[in-house]
Amino acid sequence: MKYRRIVILTGAGISAESGMGTFRDKGGLWTTHSLEDVATPEGFARDPALVHTFYNLRRAGLKSAAPNRAHFALAEFEQEARSRGSDVMLVTQNVDDLHERAGSLSIIHMHGELTSAACVSCGARARWEQDLGLDSLCPGCGRRGALRPDVVWFGEVPYGIDEIHDRISTCDLFVSIGTSGEVYPAAGFVGLAAGQGAHTVELNLEPSANAGFFSEGLYGPATQVVDRWLNALLHSGG
Ligand code: BV8
């Protein structure tokens, strides 16, 4: 395998064909909700019940969503690349659990996860699959009403950012899938990868805001382009 240290970034577009909403496409989550109201600490402080409802609906949506061909193609690629001695790290902006359910193993959820709750009082983080609300009890300290969705809101520091930067600073292949390139620091990762000489690839429905930073792009639905590009890589001795 030509590439030895591979970093793959995913965004909402890879889960679109699984029925999970994207954010900025027509009908996307930020067109039906004000980002300031439901994805900032200030919004949560102002109206926690509204934010809980927003995330409870998305968490409940996980039950009817299933990984699609793109999620499975990534999991199969990770296994094959590893068997050929290459290292693969998957960094996702998504808070759904579809990469896990498709079998991917090395995943960093830089924006957190719907299936996790965090306590603002004791800092505990716990797996959480049902509705979260003001009457929920923290499994760590027992306090009522101290739990919040364990997701990274605007103005908060993404999870795993140091490890992500280390990986991208030394990777030889950076692939970005299904993201608009509008949200930082994720949108800046391609510049970091290209700046240190990695080959950079964008797989997306259409060119993203930072398409110009990529050495290569393949455009179309993720369920078609991801499989095609990964197979070509594996069979080209790439
Ligand atoms: C931070 C919460 C400091 C969970 C989300 C410069 C530098 C650093 C920060 C900033 C900066 N400029 C501005 C900032 C602040 C801010 C920011 O980026 N604002 C934007 C609006 C300008 N960033 C932050 O606050 C971040 N924190 O910076 O801390 C710091 C930084 C580094 C180190 C130390 C300290 C925190 C950002 C996280 C915010 N939380 N979500 C949730 O509710 O989900 S963001 C939200 O947007 C989601 O996480 C989502 O994943 C993310 C990005 O969106 P996309 O995934 O790209 O989705 P989108 O709808 O936009 O695009 C979908 C794409 O898919 C499209 O391109 C479409 O064409 C494509 N597509 C559609 N269908 C398909 C498809 N592709 C293939 N197949 C299909 N079928």
Side-chain angles (χ1 to χ4, degrees), residues 69-192:
R69 183 65 222 137
H71 296 105
F72 287 114
L74 280 178
E76 292 154 17
F77 173 75
E78 177 185 353
Q79 204 173 353
E80 178 57 27
R82 191 155 291 150
S83 75
R84 299 188 193 185
S86 294
D87 181 65
V88 180
M89 163 59 71
L90 174 59
V91 178
T92 186
Q93 300 172 88
N94 299 340
V95 292
D96 64 49
D97 58 355
L98 298 178
H99 283 305
E100 286 83 354
R101 287 162 57 190
S104 285
L105 298 175
S106 66
I107 306 172
I108 295 181
H109 275 275
M110 66 179 291
H111 290 166
E113 298 176 76
L114 283 173
T115 54
S116 178
C119 180
V120 299
S121 180
C122 73
R125 292 167 69 191
R127 186 153 181 82
W128 202 274
E129 291 174 322
Q130 66 271 26
D131 279 359
L132 194 53
L134 294 169
D135 52 356
S136 304
L137 296 178
C138 169
C141 66
R143 241 191 84 185
R144 180 186 302 278
L147 289 176
R148 58 165 274 183
D150 187 11
V151 297
V152 177
W153 287 324
F154 288 96
E156 297 184 323
V157 179
Y159 285 129
I161 199 70
D162 293 340
E163 181 178 355
I164 294 169
H165 278 160
D166 289 350
R167 293 284 189 135
I168 293 178
S169 305
T170 56
C171 75
D172 53 9
L173 175 64
F174 176 78
V175 186
S176 175
I177 304 173
T179 181
S180 62
E182 305 263 355
V183 174
Y184 290 84
F189 291 165
V190 60
L192 183 62

Side-chain angles (χ1 to χ4, degrees), residues 12 17 23-24 55 58 111 152 155-156 179-180 184 204-205 222:
E17 291 163 272
F23 293 88
R24 295 169 183 81
Y55 284 97
R58 290 171 65 194
H111 290 166
V152 177
E156 297 184 323
T179 181
S180 62
Y184 290 84
N204 206 50
L205 191 61

